[in-house]
Amino acid sequence: MRINYDLVRKILISVADSDIHQDISNYNICIGEDTDVVGWHIGKLIEAGYLKGINSSTKTEPYDYICVELTYSGEQFLNKIENNQLWAKIKKNLGDNSVSITFKAIELTYNILR
């Protein structure tokens, strides 16, 4: 599976906008999305340092995360991609220049465009 950066953005926004008293998991954010796909992306966001959470995966539920929270780095990254117009410009710029979309490429493009 490849990272879907639109889903990454949606996950980060959902986590940031959640009630502080809500236990956030891949089952109660991004309603309407496949929970395994959301969970897989949460795992990638944890690896990247943008989220923290508890891996509650089992053999039958391999992509389960609970107590998901935004990290400081995640908050900074989200600030760069939250604006719809800027997000569209970043994706267009990366596509126009045949640059693979990665977390680092998004951050560097943001710095160029702002």
Side-chain angles (χ1 to χ4, degrees), residues 29 37 42 47 54 64 71 77 80 86 89 93 114:
I29 61 170
V37 174
I42 288 172
E47 286 176 25
I54 298 171
D64 279 357
T71 64
F77 184 73
K80 295 174 182 173
L86 187 54
K89 283 182 182 179
N93 186 281
R114 66 180 174 128

Side-chain angles (χ1 to χ4, degrees), residues 80-92:
K80 295 174 182 173
I81 63 171
E82 190 167 20
N83 178 284
N84 290 331
Q85 292 175 333
L86 187 54
W87 176 238
K89 283 182 182 179
I90 289 170
K91 291 192 312 182
K92 182 177 180 345

